[in-house]
Amino acid sequence: MSIRSALTLFASAAALAAGISAAGAATLDDVKARGTLNCGVNTGLLGFGQQDASGAWSGFDVDFCKAVAAAIFGDPAKVTYVPLSATDRFEALKSGKIDLLSRNSTWTLGREADLDIAFAGVTYYDGQGFMVKRASGKTSALELDGATVCVQTGTTTEPNFIDFFNTNNMKFTAVPAASSDEALEAYKAGKCDTITSDVSQLYAEKASLQDPADSIILPDVISKEPLGPAVREGDPAWRLFIQWVNFALINAEEIGLSSDRIDEAKASTKPEVKRLVGTEGDFGTKLGVPNDWVVAVVKAVGNYGEIYERNLGVNSKLGIPRGLNQIWSKGGIQYAPPIR
């Protein structure tokens, strides 16, 4: 190959790579041009994502959608919610039907490697557990040998519980369900001895029962379920932005910036506060949004702790203790790099 041919080939390859990069890096621009964020959420899970009779959406994952919209537009209402089942959530993301998936989804290697998606952090550290009828007398998942198990297919829940039973030489009969609602209905109808899912989802399902006190969530946690937002592979700028929305919420709680104090924080002389609220540095510009984007986010939905307590905390309908999801300085593992 001649030098000229080699240079021509190199230039063509570089142009192709640049074209691919430009094509794959357009999500934020597309969202801005459209004027709304298309956000994939749960079809209905108490505390995480559900729509009320008037059509309004609420929940932990829904608030993350609102936070992203607030960062981009300064308006948390500029979200088009797309309810998705566990089966169709990732295809909706890959196909471009949604810009962001914020739907209690577990970050795994297989999903990132096989589905051409990228997770942008962990918003909720969870684990899989089991719920049984109180009358069963069961106090541990290790007492479930021979049980019939209601489980939603197409999720990490199914292989996790099979691994747990096989590892502990326990027999089981699976009662597969296409959706979480179907699995819960089967449990309520007595078609299984136990229902298994993420512990947070079990809290939501228990709260929805006619008599929640008749069921208990066993203390055993059999897996790691880091739940977080996901985006399409190939747009590192968009993934970076979504990642830092999550980090900003955690950092805001850590330094005491709440929705009712965020305006006064703009007058702060503390360097870490000034960088967070945008009065120092151009950290918003680096992400493609206004420098005061964190102010808009916290004013709209609060910091991470406010979002958690409102939707999932001990005084909410779910009543889930912070546990691992407490910030690191208070004994949890929620930790964010600094904005600097």
Side-chain angles (χ1 to χ4, degrees):
M1 181 183 291
S2 67
I3 294 177
R4 176 174 294 179
S5 297
L7 289 173
T8 300
L9 181 61
F10 175 79
S12 299
L16 177 60
I20 293 173
S21 176
T27 307
L28 180 57
D29 291 337
D30 289 346
V31 172
K32 289 179 177 178
R34 189 190 310 127
T36 184
L37 170 74
N38 293 335
C39 200
V41 294
N42 206 293
T43 54
L45 181 62
L46 180 65
F48 283 89
Q50 62 180 166
Q51 191 176 26
D52 66 19
S54 67
W57 284 89
S58 65
F60 182 85
D61 290 333
V62 168
D63 277 349
F64 190 79
C65 300
K66 293 178 180 179
V68 173
I72 298 171
F73 302 111
D75 184 353
K78 291 191 174 183
V79 182
T80 298
Y81 296 101
V82 182
L84 298 167
S85 69
T87 303
D88 58 18
R89 54 184 161 171
F90 297 120
E91 186 56 40
L93 181 61
K94 289 170 59 180
S95 68
K97 182 178 181 180
I98 57 174
D99 309 303
L100 169 68
L101 178 66
S102 183
R103 185 203 177 283
N104 58 311
S105 300
T106 302
W107 185 354
T108 70
L109 169 62
R111 285 175 171 173
E112 286 203 315
D114 298 337
L115 300 178
D116 293 325
I117 63 172
F119 282 83
V122 179
T123 52
Y124 188 90
Y125 289 97
D126 208 346
Q128 186 172 330
F130 298 87
M131 182 166 66
V132 299
K133 298 292 175 58
R134 186 180 296 275
S136 71
K138 306 295 185 186
T139 59
S140 168
L142 294 172
E143 299 173 353
L144 294 175
D145 188 20
T148 51
V149 184
C150 285
V151 59
Q152 183 181 0
T153 57
T155 66
T156 56
T157 303
E158 189 173 23
N160 284 345
F161 105 81
I162 293 173
D163 286 349
F164 174 76
F165 273 76
N166 288 340
T167 298
N168 290 286
N169 298 311
M170 292 164 30
K171 295 180 180 180
F172 66 89
T173 300
V175 180
S179 68
S180 58
D181 287 342
E182 185 179 317
L184 183 60
E185 287 304 314
Y187 172 78
K188 288 160 62 176
K191 295 180 180 179
C192 54
D193 302 310
T194 180
I195 182 172
T196 184
S197 187
D198 293 349
V199 172
S200 62
Q201 182 161 324
L202 293 178
Y203 268 92
E205 291 174 341
K206 183 175 183 290
S208 72
L209 297 174
Q210 184 173 359
D211 192 345
D214 284 349
S215 291
I216 61 170
I217 298 171
L218 297 176
D220 314 74
V221 176
I222 68 168
S223 71
K224 294 185 294 183
E225 304 295 328
L227 309 180
V231 297
R232 282 183 294 281
E233 187 62 81
D235 192 343
W238 179 243
R239 183 202 59 76
L240 183 71
F241 170 61
I242 299 301
Q243 173 181 270
W244 278 96
V245 171
N246 182 33
F247 288 157
L249 292 167
I250 296 169
N251 278 322
E253 181 182 9
E254 183 180 338
I255 63 177
L257 298 188
S258 57
S259 55
D260 61 348
R261 297 185 60 195
I262 191 65
D263 282 327
E264 66 185 66
K266 291 185 288 187
S268 175
T269 59
K270 295 181 179 179
E272 62 179 347
V273 176
K274 292 173 69 176
R275 289 191 294 268
L276 196 65
V277 301
T279 55
E280 179 177 293
D282 60 348
F283 299 106
T285 302
K286 294 177 190 295
L287 295 174
V289 294
N291 284 330
D292 63 350
W293 65 280
V294 178
V295 174
V297 168
V298 175
K299 187 177 292 188
V301 297
N303 60 38
Y304 179 86
E306 290 179 277
I307 295 172
Y308 187 99
E309 295 303 331
R310 177 169 60 248
N311 296 295
L312 312 175
V314 293
N315 293 316
S316 72
K317 291 182 179 179
L318 267 64
I320 306 176
R322 283 285 291 269
L324 292 178
N325 292 291
Q326 185 60 266
I327 57 174
W328 68 278
S329 57
K330 294 184 178 180
I333 60 175
Q334 282 291 2
Y335 184 100
I339 293 179
R340 66 172 309 131

